[in-house]
Amino acid sequence: MSSDAIEQPLNRSYLTNVTDGDAEFEEELAQSYIDASSEVMTHLRSAVQEAGASAVREAAHALKGSSRAIGADGMGSAAEILEHKGRDGDLTNVESLLEDAEQHYNALIEYMRTAWPTAK
Amino acid sequence: MNILIAEDDDTSRLLLGTTLRKLGHDVTVASDGDEAWSIFRRQPGHSVVITDWMMPGMPGIEFCRRIRSLKLPQYTYVLILTALSGKGKFLEGMDAGADDYITKPFDRDELAARLRVAERILGLKQHVQRLEGLLPICSYCKKIRDPGDTWTSVERYVSVRTDAEFTHSICPSCIETEVEAELSRMDRASELAESLLD
C-alpha cells in the first residue's frame, strides 16, 4: 500500500469535536502525538527486529491508543493488527505488517505537518 | 468535581485532562497506576477517578480494587477507560468496584454525561450518609439537633430531609402506659366526684 492510497490519515471532524473546536488545543495535541509516537515507533521497530512478541504488543498498544485518541483511525487499525500478533505470540509476517504501519505513520505525520506547520 | 486520572499514553492523557478542565473540573494527572495510587493515598479526597485499564505496572482494575479496599467514609466514583470490548471485561471491572466504564477513544459529550451521572450519585451518597450518621437527640423530649445547632422535632427533621410524611398514631406500649393509664385516672376521678355528690 502506498502513502498516496491513505487519503484521510486523520479524521479532522472527530478531532475538532473532541477538542470542542479549540484550534490551539488541536495543535497542542498534534505536537504531543508527533513527539510521543516517534519514540513508540522506534520501540516498535526494535521489537519487530528482535522478535519480541511482548514488546511488539506493548508498543503497538500504545500506538493504537494515541492514534485513535486524535482520530487517526487507519494508523490505529494498523497498530491494532500488530498488537494482536504480539498478544498471540505469533510474529509471522510481522515485518510486512510493520511496513504497512510505517506507511500509515508517514502519511499521518506528513498530513499533520501540513495541517500544523509549526509542529516539529 | 475533583478528578484523578491515570493514563499512561501522553497524548491521551493530555486530551483527557484538558477536556475535563474545559468541562470545569479540577484535575490531577498520573501517568500510570502506581503513581495514581500513590497520589490517591496521599490525597484521598478525589470525588472521581478515571483510570485506563491497561497500564505499565499497576493496571487500572487493580487500582480500582485498592481504592475500594480502603473503605473511605467519602465515596469515590470510579470510571474505567478502556479500548477493550466484551461482556467479560465489563463484568470484571464492575466486580472490581468500578461504577462505570467508557470506551476509548472517548466521546466528549458522552464523557460529560457520565460525569453528570457521577455527580448525581455522589450527591445521593452524601445525602444518605447524612441521614445514616449519628444524630444528637435529646434523651427527654427526643428533639434532634440539626447541623445549624437548632433543636427540632423528629418529624420536622425527617420531613425536611426526605419525602417522608408523618401520620400520627399511638403505639401499643404507649396505649397501655399513657392512654389507658390516663383513662383509669379519669375514671377514678369521676368515681370520686360521684361519691362526693352522693
Side-chain angles (χ1 to χ4, degrees), chain B residues 36-182:
Chain B
W37 175 237
S38 174
I39 292 171
F40 191 83
R41 288 297 307 273
R42 289 198 314 272
Q43 307 161 26
H46 293 92
S47 311
V48 176
V49 163
I50 301 177
T51 177
D52 192 13
W53 184 289
M54 277 180 67
M55 293 184 288
M58 188 188 304
I61 196 164
E62 176 58 24
F63 178 35
C64 180
R65 284 196 192 101
R66 290 193 185 196
I67 290 171
R68 294 297 178 233
S69 73
L70 292 177
K71 298 189 192 305
L72 297 168
Q74 183 180 342
Y75 191 77
T76 299
Y77 193 91
V78 178
L79 281 115
I80 293 191
L81 195 58
T82 178
L84 301 170
S85 59
K87 181 180 171 183
K89 292 297 177 187
F90 170 77
L91 293 176
E92 194 180 346
M94 298 303 113
D95 283 345
D99 296 285
D100 199 358
Y101 77 101
I102 189 161
T103 53
K104 295 166 71 170
F106 66 83
D107 177 88
R108 186 181 181 278
D109 294 333
E110 183 185 343
L111 177 65
R114 288 180 188 273
L115 288 173
R116 284 196 293 275
V117 171
E119 206 159 15
R120 281 202 299 274
I121 288 175
L122 287 167
L124 288 170
K125 282 273 188 186
Q126 283 171 4
H127 187 68
V128 168
Q129 278 177 319
R130 276 201 299 273
L131 291 174
E132 287 180 339
L134 287 176
L135 299 176
I137 187 166
C138 176
S139 302
Y140 294 93
C141 68
K142 308 305 176 191
K143 282 187 179 174
I144 294 175
R145 190 175 70 222
D146 67 21
D149 272 348
T150 301
W151 289 93
T152 186
S153 68
V154 170
E155 296 96 318
R156 178 162 175 73
Y157 185 89
V158 173
S159 63
V160 163
R161 286 159 181 79
T162 71
D163 291 333
E165 292 181 12
F166 284 87
T167 172
H168 285 83
S169 186
I170 307 174
C171 72
S173 174
C174 286
I175 286 177
E176 188 179 329
T177 60
E178 303 293 329
V179 176
E180 289 178 350
E182 182 64 21

Side-chain angles (χ1 to χ4, degrees), chain A residues 14 18 20 22 25 28-29 32-33 57 61 66 68-70, chain B residues 9-12 14-15 18-19 22 54 83 105-108:
Chain A
Y14 168 82
V18 84
D20 200 27
D22 185 338
F25 184 25
E28 191 182 357
L29 277 175
S32 171
Y33 181 86
R57 185 192 62 77
H61 175 78
S66 58
R68 287 193 169 147
I70 61 167
Chain B
D9 176 64
D10 292 344
T11 306
S12 300
L14 173 63
L15 178 59
T18 305
T19 299
K22 281 168 172 275
M54 277 180 67
F106 66 83
D107 177 88
R108 186 181 181 278

Side-chain angles (χ1 to χ4, degrees), chain A residues 71-88:
Chain A
D73 296 327
M75 182 72 246
S77 296
E80 186 172 25
I81 293 170
L82 281 162
E83 182 192 12
H84 289 173
K85 294 291 274 185
R87 179 198 65 194
D88 298 339

